[in-house]
Amino acid sequence: HCEADVNNNTLGEVITKDPVPEFKWHILWEFVKPQLFALICAVVLAFGSAMLNIQIPLMLGDLVNVVARYLREHSGNYVSEIKGPAMKLLGLYGIQGLLTTGYIILLSKVGERVAADMRKTLFASLLRQDVAFFDANKTGQLVNRLTADIQEFKSSFKLIISQGLRSITQTVGCFVSLYVISPKLTGLTVVVLPCLVGAGALIGSFLRKLSRLAQEQVAKATGVADEALGNVRTVKAFAMEERELQLYAYEVDKSCEMNENLGGGIAVFQGLSNVALNCIVLGTIFAGGTLISSNEMSPGDLMSFLVASQTVQRSLASISILFGQVVRGISSGARVFEYLSLQPTIPLSGGGRIPYHSLIGRVDFMNISFSYPTRPGHEVLKKFNLTLPPCKTIAIVGESGGGKSTVASLLERFYDPTSGVVMLDGLDIRTLDLAWIRGQVIGFINQEPVLFGSSILENIRFGKPDATDAEVISAAKQANAHRFITSFPDGYNTMVGERGVTLSGGQKQRIAIARALIKNPSILVLDEATSALDAESERVVQEALDRATKGRTVLIIAHRLSTIQGADLICVMSNGRIVEAGTHLELLSKGGLYSDLICRQRAEGQK
Ligand code: ADP
């Protein structure tokens, strides 16, 4: 029953998994090129070490011949006779060890540098992509490509070059030695050995598949635990501890069973292969002994033969493992390379800029239609028109999901409209330099703000990387944040984010405001928090915002209505376009959609 289950899983996965992207050799070449010299040296050393490995069985044979002769004749000086071949062998061991050390050092250097380059290039390429790309790809999978896939590719790369080269050289070389030593025994080996190695490879690949399935099962169990622990408040709030435990226990038991099966498989495999290997030795000695007794072979030859055939065995086994590694390396490499050559549709730089003193800060949305690339059938904006006059505050209100935040995203050029134009001072923003628009013209305050895991100082400076400390402090003062920041023992150096102090919602918002103000932007976009603050925090934040909006073109995406009553113009959105516009009082007296919204929100507030 369990097996059927496992098969179902694999089937399901084959269907849902993305098609494996193509492996692009020219991209690999770009990464390897800078390390080519070290790589060639590594290859030469690895080849040399393999060649020496081929000599070792022959030399061991010489040694054994000396011993055998001494045993037979009991004459001559044993020590002086054995000294020559022994020293030669010792020298060979030494050089072989040095070469091995050398090529492993070089190869890990090449591997690490190639991997580091890949990481940096991939990260740069990911950061360059459009917002739409991140809508379509899960962050976890992207991070996986940076970590697990590159790791896998690196180990495969190193293994294929070192082991592959060695194993192939040794197999070929030792086979030649075998043939030179005894064509008859070699004939026998040629029949038996590949059969055994083939059988071993088959069982091995089956076991690896089991192991992969078991690992996936472990990952699934971990996922359950991760989700439960990550959302522990929700789990507790619904008293779901028991059920989460059951879910986890089920997955863990399944993975336990799979790992036990795997363990059993490995045990049988080990046992069988021990028997097989020992039988080969026994068989060789038996057949070789027959040849020795008929004087067709010396004892030293038998020794050489034994050692050389062991080397062939080991090499063939590692070649069979390498096949799997090649497949895995290529598919993880392909996943890494997939996004390297991906060009964003919205280029981050290039295009014109308007000199600061002549920038007015007027924005026009003209006849904009838009659907999100991930939901092409669903038109969010339909021939949307709106003008943001310079230095005025415009608020957009409307039902949740009506497309308000989308308007802000289009202004930031997170997406380009399907049709229509967004204009800044009468110029199509697609002709303007995006880095300049985002970096200097528009300040974006998302009021459910994200702080990075660094100091408050660095978080505010995120808005303008070359800002001086004085500029940071002045922005913090404008944002009503200076007082609470200086009340921390470490002041501006207080660490925030994941591993730092926990700030209240209002404090985070004020830092986000400071972060936007430090750019001194001509246009400010406020995407209002959907969750309410307590009255006192709201007052401080509102005060900061009132100050921040002075002298700027401001677009407020209002998810609540209480904060925008002072706006110069309130636009009500419905069905992807603006249906009403006016001041608070005008709209109220009109008794349209806006007054409905107000009534509804009041009623909800009273509940
Ligand atoms: P509002 O700000 O008025 O609440 P939004 O602009 O956030 O509305 O969303 C408008 C519509 O677009 C909603 O139906 C929402 O589900 C959809 N939407 C928002 N963001 C995305 C996205 N990144 N990808 C696909 N659809 C989205």
Side-chain angles (χ1 to χ4, degrees):
H1 170 77
C2 178
E3 234 166 66
D5 225 328
V6 168
N7 285 338
N8 276 345
N9 264 349
T10 34
L11 266 185
E13 252 179 17
V14 171
I15 294 163
T16 52
K17 244 182 199 165
D18 297 338
V20 178
E22 190 192 345
F23 187 88
K24 301 192 184 88
W25 290 96
H26 65 274
I27 299 186
L28 176 61
W29 170 239
E30 290 303 317
F31 284 109
V32 170
K33 212 160 55 177
Q35 317 297 336
L36 201 58
F37 182 67
L39 183 62
I40 290 176
C41 290
V43 166
V44 169
L45 294 189
F47 187 69
S49 138
M51 293 303 280
L52 291 187
N53 256 353
I54 299 172
Q55 307 301 315
I56 288 175
L58 301 177
M59 290 211 167
L60 278 174
D62 287 349
L63 207 69
V64 168
N65 273 341
V66 173
V67 177
R69 190 160 0 105
Y70 188 77
L71 276 179
R72 218 169 30 238
E73 298 164 8
H74 280 289
S75 65
N77 185 340
Y78 173 70
V79 174
S80 71
E81 272 186 54
I82 199 98
K83 216 165 86 185
M87 290 312 279
K88 244 165 92 183
L89 198 59
L90 214 58
L92 205 68
Y93 285 159
I95 299 173
Q96 206 261 347
L98 277 181
L99 292 182
T100 305
T101 313
Y103 89 74
I104 292 180
I105 288 179
L106 282 171
L107 207 56
S108 60
K109 192 172 122 164
V110 172
E112 293 309 325
R113 292 194 177 182
V114 165
D117 269 358
M118 281 183 175
R119 289 210 163 97
K120 288 184 278 186
T121 318
L122 179 59
F123 188 55
S125 167
L126 290 178
L127 282 180
R128 202 170 54 218
Q129 298 306 318
D130 303 332
V131 174
F133 172 83
F134 295 95
D135 287 343
N137 293 286
K138 288 207 192 90
T139 331
Q141 282 170 1
L142 297 178
V143 170
N144 239 345
R145 297 194 187 212
L146 275 176
T147 51
D149 281 330
I150 288 185
Q151 186 70 25
E152 175 84 45
F153 181 76
K154 182 183 74 186
S155 4
S156 306
F157 177 80
K158 290 202 290 199
L159 213 68
I160 289 166
I161 290 191
S162 62
Q163 300 271 26
L165 194 76
R166 259 181 66 159
S167 304
I168 292 173
T169 316
Q170 284 176 186
T171 309
V172 175
C174 284
F175 248 115
V176 173
S177 307
L178 288 181
Y179 188 76
V180 171
I181 298 166
S182 165
K184 272 191 192 162
L185 262 189
T186 310
L188 212 66
T189 318
V190 165
V191 178
V192 178
L193 207 57
C195 291
L196 283 179
V197 170
L202 218 65
I203 303 177
S205 78
F206 174 69
L207 287 178
R208 273 195 295 280
K209 192 174 150 210
L210 275 191
S211 142
R212 190 171 48 83
L213 289 176
Q215 270 170 21
E216 279 166 8
Q217 183 55 35
V218 172
K220 211 161 144 193
T222 313
V224 173
D226 193 42
E227 193 174 54
L229 293 179
N231 302 312
V232 75
R233 279 160 212 270
T234 315
V235 172
K236 286 193 176 298
F238 288 85
M240 290 298 259
E241 290 95 338
E242 241 344 279
R243 206 186 71 104
E244 289 296 331
L245 176 60
Q246 275 171 13
L247 274 179
Y248 183 66
Y250 174 73
E251 301 294 350
V252 166
D253 285 343
K254 219 161 126 186
S255 88
C256 170
E257 190 183 326
M258 288 168 83
N259 272 315
E260 273 178 33
N261 289 343
L262 174 67
I266 291 176
V268 172
F269 179 63
Q270 294 270 355
L272 279 181
S273 59
N274 277 358
V275 172
L277 294 182
N278 287 330
C279 282
I280 288 185
V281 175
L282 184 63
T284 312
I285 293 180
F286 179 76
T290 329
L291 290 176
I292 292 180
S293 62
S294 61
N295 263 340
E296 285 179 60
M297 208 180 181
S298 73
D301 284 347
L302 182 58
M303 178 70 184
S304 303
F305 196 93
L306 268 178
V307 179
S309 66
Q310 297 266 309
T311 309
V312 171
Q313 260 168 44
R314 269 195 315 247
S315 305
L316 283 181
S318 76
I319 288 176
S320 79
I321 292 176
L322 274 180
F323 273 122
Q325 197 71 38
V326 170
V327 173
R328 262 175 292 159
I330 283 194
S331 65
S332 54
R335 277 196 296 276
V336 174
F337 297 163
E338 188 183 9
Y339 294 143
L340 282 183
S341 40
L342 189 67
Q343 285 304 325
T345 45
I346 304 179
L348 284 179
S349 58
R353 297 182 174 201
I354 302 169
Y356 184 71
H357 49 269
S358 46
L359 182 70
I360 303 168
R362 177 195 159 100
V363 176
D364 298 279
F365 294 88
M366 296 174 71
N367 259 331
I368 304 253
S369 297
F370 176 71
S371 351
Y372 280 96
T374 43
R375 283 175 76 189
H378 176 73
E379 202 165 50
V380 180
L381 300 180
K382 295 164 194 153
K383 301 230 175 285
F384 173 88
N385 285 287
L386 175 67
T387 295
L388 311 180
C391 302
K392 295 275 190 242
T393 297
I394 311 294
I396 303 185
V397 300
E399 286 178 348
S400 155
K404 301 183 295 293
S405 303
T406 307
V407 174
S409 300
L410 291 179
L411 179 55
E412 280 269 352
R413 249 193 118 193
F414 287 155
Y415 309 90
D416 275 338
T418 323
S419 69
V421 245
V422 182
M423 309 243 253
L424 173 64
D425 281 11
L427 298 170
D428 185 343
I429 57 167
R430 281 174 297 193
T431 62
L432 297 173
D433 186 352
L434 193 56
W436 168 73
I437 291 187
R438 289 184 186 162
Q440 292 171 35
V441 180
I442 302 178
F444 186 78
I445 306 180
N446 187 335
Q447 295 191 45
E448 270 156 21
V450 175
L451 299 184
F452 292 91
S454 60
S455 66
I456 292 182
L457 190 82
E458 289 309 318
N459 264 290
I460 297 179
R461 196 177 267 153
F462 196 79
K464 184 181 173 192
D466 55 354
T468 60
D469 288 3
E471 281 177 273
V472 171
I473 292 171
S474 138
K477 280 183 177 158
Q478 282 184 60
N480 260 351
H482 181 70
R483 188 116 52 84
F484 85 78
I485 295 174
T486 45
S487 75
F488 291 131
D490 291 333
Y492 279 85
N493 294 321
T494 307
M495 296 299 284
V496 292
E498 282 256 303
R499 257 164 277 146
V501 301
T502 315
L503 299 180
S504 76
Q507 290 172 331
K508 279 195 213 160
Q509 291 188 1
R510 281 177 279 161
I511 290 183
I513 295 171
R515 177 162 71 188
L517 288 186
I518 200 169
K519 299 188 211 180
N520 192 19
S522 307
I523 300 171
L524 206 55
V525 179
L526 308 175
D527 199 340
E528 205 176 58
T530 40
S531 54
L533 292 177
D534 61 85
E536 171 57 16
S537 311
E538 173 142 358
R539 194 188 56 76
V540 209
V541 172
Q542 196 57 45
E543 203 180 282
L545 285 178
D546 289 344
R547 208 176 312 148
T549 51
K550 278 219 180 69
R552 298 194 163 96
T553 308
V554 182
L555 175 65
I556 303 182
I557 309 299
H559 297 286
R560 287 168 299 134
L561 302 175
S562 52
T563 48
I564 48 136
Q565 298 182 353
D568 296 305
L569 188 72
I570 297 173
C571 302
V572 185
M573 261 189 100
S574 169
N575 248 333
R577 61 165 77 90
I578 287 176
V579 290
E580 261 180 26
T583 61
H584 175 65
L585 293 176
E586 282 168 11
L587 288 176
L588 265 192
S589 62
K590 202 170 155 191
L593 219 73
Y594 181 75
S595 60
D596 283 355
L597 282 173
I598 292 267
C599 286
R600 215 184 306 158
Q601 217 163 58
R602 282 210 187 117
E604 272 168 21
Q606 279 164 3
K607 260 183 214 162

